[in-house]
Amino acid sequence: MAILDPSPANIMVAADAILAGELVCIPTETVYGIAADATNAEAVEKIFSAKNRPADNPLIVHVSDFIQLDDIVAEWTEAADLLANRFWPGPLTLVLRKSEFIPDSVTGGLDTVAIRMPDHAVALELIEACGVPLAAPSANRFMRLSPTRAEMVAPEIAERVACILDGGPCRVGLESTVVDVTSNNVKILRPGGVSRGEIQAALGRPLGDAPPDGPRRSPGNYDRHYAPRAAVRVVDEVPEAAVGLIFGEPTSSRQIRMPMDPEAFASTLYAAMHLLDSQKVEEILVQSPPDEGPWEAVWDRLRRAGGER
Ligand code: TXA
Ligand code: MG
């Protein structure tokens, strides 16, 4: 496996691999994905084994064009139309009724499919070159941190892919917001790159969460997820000698200063935890960010990173 520049020639190499049923790691604006031809059930199976991911945890299908939706979606809704027009390409995933065209392995047997149009030129060019939508979960092993740099892709993943396209550091730095738009009762299934406030403003009304213990509407939402090897704990103050992410001036090389802005914080969070993790630390303390709406996705990831093992 090689890390390749995303030159037009290398994008063609990657497209050939995808169309031959192989896997490719791709950059997106959120995190790196591990991609396969979404219409090829055998290729999709390879994603689950590379990630060690349970088969009932559905994948996101990535498109480069609205026209591709005709094949994938059985029922397009008004809410989907509003949100896709407002936020695509971008870090928003829409859950809709699926067509027959998408194999059951992609959706973990659900009758819905999660779709997004990524805001990254390399991802869009690759999807276009393939001429098929790409199924791509984050390119991490099950439950671990998602990579936000090509070099962060774990060796166990790297050895299973034809190549890694290097699109540089991911701008958003955590995963897309997953929204159920199968009906007018729009629900956020996973907070992410587009905030609740932005979605509510686009819809012109407030919206609720999916009931966490209701029917398993979003099977990938585990208490522990997006986690480094080290334990993660959110605290009011990180002591001077401790390893951690802080807002103030670092007092050792094992402290990383984080920006006091939710988008800037999100954009470096996984890379910062990855850096400390690679120093084989036992615990990472994170200075508590404000408990305010725009920090919702960051809080979600911090809770899961420190979730029960
Ligand atoms: O930013 C992202 O979304 C990244 C990049 C690569 O696009 N992808 C990503 O995929 O985070 P993944 O597989 O790690 O997370 C997708 C989550 C699943 O765990 C599940 O919770 C939800 O999306 N999901 C997928 N299909 C669904 C469906 N049909 N119904 C409800 N939730 C679904
Ligand atoms: Mg993931």
Side-chain angles (χ1 to χ4, degrees):
M1 173 287 320
I3 296 186
L4 302 179
D5 286 336
S7 64
N10 284 338
I11 287 178
M12 289 316 297
V13 168
D16 286 344
I18 294 274
L19 294 176
E22 293 180 59
L23 306 179
V24 170
C25 283
I26 62 165
T28 80
E29 81 283 28
T30 57
V31 300
Y32 276 72
I34 178 169
D37 174 353
T39 67
N40 178 341
E42 243 172 76
V44 168
E45 296 299 339
K46 292 183 188 169
I47 295 180
F48 286 91
S49 66
K51 282 188 58 113
N52 195 24
R53 175 169 170 133
D56 67 352
N57 188 347
L59 308 179
I60 296 175
V61 173
H62 295 69
V63 298
S64 57
D65 202 306
F66 279 84
I67 301 196
Q68 286 169 309
L69 299 171
D70 293 346
D71 288 335
I72 304 170
V73 175
E75 203 184 318
W76 187 246
T77 62
E78 214 181 295
D81 207 50
L82 252 165
L83 295 180
N85 279 303
R86 170 72 183 77
F87 296 109
W88 281 0
L92 178 77
T93 294
L94 299 176
V95 173
L96 287 151
R97 302 254 166 251
K98 90 184 242 309
S99 73
E100 301 291 309
F101 184 65
I102 295 296
D104 283 341
S105 53
V106 171
T107 61
L110 297 175
D111 60 357
T112 55
V113 59
I115 309 164
R116 85 179 192 97
M117 190 185 291
D119 185 18
H120 197 294
V122 176
L124 293 172
E125 282 163 25
L126 178 65
I127 299 166
E128 222 155 272
C130 291
V132 290
L134 299 184
S138 49
N140 51 295
R141 295 278 280 176
F142 182 52
M143 298 222 169
R144 305 239 73 107
L145 280 178
S146 304
T148 54
R149 316 260 189 276
E151 323 78 74
M152 276 174 69
V153 173
E156 302 94 316
I157 297 279
E159 70 191 19
R160 311 280 201 111
V161 300
C163 62
I164 298 174
L165 287 175
D166 188 350
C170 301
R171 173 174 59 80
V172 175
L174 48 72
E175 298 80 358
S176 62
T177 308
V178 181
V179 184
D180 178 343
V181 286
T182 50
S183 75
N184 281 331
N185 184 14
V186 175
K187 290 182 244 64
I188 294 185
L189 304 179
R190 176 179 75 181
V194 176
S195 73
R196 179 181 300 268
E198 291 173 296
I199 294 172
Q200 291 179 153
L203 292 172
R205 59 192 159 87
L207 41 86
D209 279 310
D213 45 7
R216 299 211 327 139
R217 288 309 300 272
S218 198
N221 277 331
Y222 303 95
D223 287 345
R224 181 173 175 76
H225 204 158
Y226 315 112
R229 256 163 237 290
V232 173
R233 202 150 52 89
V234 179
V235 295
D236 289 339
E237 288 295 335
V238 176
E240 270 198 23
V243 177
L245 310 183
I246 61 174
F247 291 113
E249 203 57 57
T251 51
S252 85
S253 62
R254 303 207 299 178
Q255 295 188 341
I256 296 176
R257 182 172 199 159
M258 299 298 288
M260 185 47 98
D261 167 84
E263 287 180 13
F265 188 103
S267 134
T268 56
L269 175 62
Y270 290 165
M273 291 206 277
H274 178 79
L275 185 66
L276 294 176
D277 219 23
S278 64
Q279 300 175 37
K280 307 266 187 300
V281 303
E282 261 167 45
E283 188 177 48
I284 299 172
L285 299 182
V286 181
Q287 187 175 2
S288 175
D291 191 9
E292 291 162 8
W295 292 85
E296 181 182 7
V298 164
W299 269 109
D300 176 79
R301 300 309 189 272
L302 290 178
R303 283 196 194 96
R304 290 182 210 271
E308 289 295 322
R309 282 149 194 265

